[in-house]
Amino acid sequence: MAGWLSYHYGINGGYSWVHPETDDRIDVGAGIQLGKGYPDPENTVPERVKNLGLGERLRGGGGVIPVSSSHPVLYSHGVLLVGDSAFQAIPTSGCGAGNAMRAALIAGDALLRSRLNPDERGSLYERLYFQQKGADLA
């Protein structure tokens, strides 16, 4: 049974997945926006498990995970922010890892421009990231 993943965007203002990890273990989860009119996250996964006919929920949990768009400032005082530190990937699931790697390539390109001083390199990274990737994620 393992080997497939069902991932749905737009479910309850977020996303939902079903992933058989092994023949004996299935990962069912959901990410829901906090807001008026959205269902209670505590009930969403058990309800999905019941609707799928998977029986009793044996183990589980959840909680609030703050997620944001990329940080508006990616450079300050000689430090470039890339990946998790710049909100370019979601550390709990790895979603956005490709985006974070692309940001690292953009940052590397800006740093390789040796004629520029550090502030100009940082500013170039910010500008290129938001032009090339940040607009996609907005």
Side-chain angles (χ1 to χ4, degrees):
M1 178 161 31
W4 59 271
L5 171 64
S6 172
Y7 203 92
H8 303 274
Y9 288 98
I11 304 291
N12 298 321
Y15 54 90
S16 176
W17 69 87
V18 177
H19 177 226
E21 294 178 342
T22 68
D23 287 340
D24 299 324
R25 181 177 167 156
I26 297 175
D27 178 22
V28 178
I32 300 170
Q33 295 180 29
L34 292 177
K36 188 175 182 180
Y38 289 111
D40 181 358
E42 292 283 331
N43 299 324
T44 303
V45 172
E47 188 176 297
R48 181 81 192 247
V49 168
K50 182 181 174 186
N51 291 341
L52 290 169
L54 297 175
E56 240 179 79
R57 185 171 120 189
L58 302 177
R59 183 178 65 84
V64 176
I65 300 171
V67 179
S68 171
S69 60
S70 186
H71 201 282
V73 177
L74 301 176
Y75 170 81
S76 182
H77 302 291
V79 176
L80 293 177
L81 299 178
V82 178
D84 291 347
S85 63
F87 300 107
Q88 294 167 335
I90 301 171
T92 57
S93 66
C95 291
N99 178 59
M101 289 188 280
R102 181 70 183 131
L105 290 172
I106 294 168
D109 182 51
L111 291 174
L112 285 173
R113 298 181 186 215
S114 59
R115 296 185 318 263
L116 301 177
N117 70 42
D119 287 339
E120 290 172 320
R121 290 177 187 163
S123 177
L124 177 62
Y125 163 55
E126 282 182 353
R127 188 171 64 255
L128 291 175
Y129 175 78
F130 287 113
Q131 286 173 348
Q132 295 178 22
K133 289 303 297 172
D136 293 343
L137 302 172

